[in-house]
Amino acid sequence: MATLITHSPAETEMLGEHWGREARRGWVIGLSGDLGAGKTQLVKGLARGLGSAARVHSPTFTLVNEYSGGRLRLFHLDLYRLETREQIVAAGLEEYLQPDGVAVIEWVERWFGNEHSTFDIQHSTSESQAHVRRVNIEVLGETERRITYEDPGA
Ligand code: ADP
Ligand code: MG
């Protein structure tokens, strides 16, 4: 488990960019944190780090945005509007746990709860060897965010 504090939206984006540069096919990154915490900000960095120039915004009318043009495709899911696991499964989102590219999931706790290990257990029942990163963003102040992350099973 690693923790760091960012002091601006740009710093959070830079963290995402760094992860985007190291990402491999099949990675799944789960994000939790309140509205306005900076989840989408982090995804902007991820897209940039993967080399995509796509305009990143939370999927609203759809559940998934796909950004191409980079080294790997990036699938951006936002579960804010889905309240139960059943709804998520019914929406057919499970395929994104074995992405042909990288998947990043905002409000991942709606799917897997808050236990980091649960995410791993659910994930490892799939056949993929994918790497999972579970991330939590806490608002500390107007421009300060505490970002905690862990790669369960790594
Ligand atoms: P979420 O997707 O978690 O709802 P967004 O990324 O859409 O949040 O919004 C985060 C908001 O917080 C943006 O308005 C951003 O400018 C602001 N912000 C301020 N400081 C930070 C920081 N350190 N990291 C990320 N966002 C920050
Ligand atoms: Mg968002």
Side-chain angles (χ1 to χ4, degrees), residues 47-120:
R48 191 197 293 164
L50 284 165
S52 171
R55 198 176 63 87
V56 170
H57 55 93
S58 263
T60 44
F61 298 108
T62 54
L63 292 168
V64 185
N65 282 344
E66 185 183 326
Y67 310 118
S68 54
R71 187 168 59 78
L72 295 166
R73 288 195 288 173
L74 178 62
F75 301 97
H76 181 191
L77 284 68
D78 190 324
L79 306 180
Y80 184 62
R81 282 178 182 73
L82 296 181
E83 275 163 22
T84 66
R85 267 206 85 177
E86 288 67 32
Q87 287 176 351
I88 292 164
V89 172
L93 298 180
E94 280 184 321
E95 66 175 289
Y96 292 102
L97 297 181
Q98 295 165 68
D100 178 17
V102 175
V104 60
I105 309 171
E106 296 195 38
W107 296 96
V108 68
E109 67 272 33
R110 302 253 155 121
W111 197 343
F112 296 107
N114 278 306
E115 250 327 296
H116 286 199
S117 57
T118 314
F119 190 34
D120 185 43

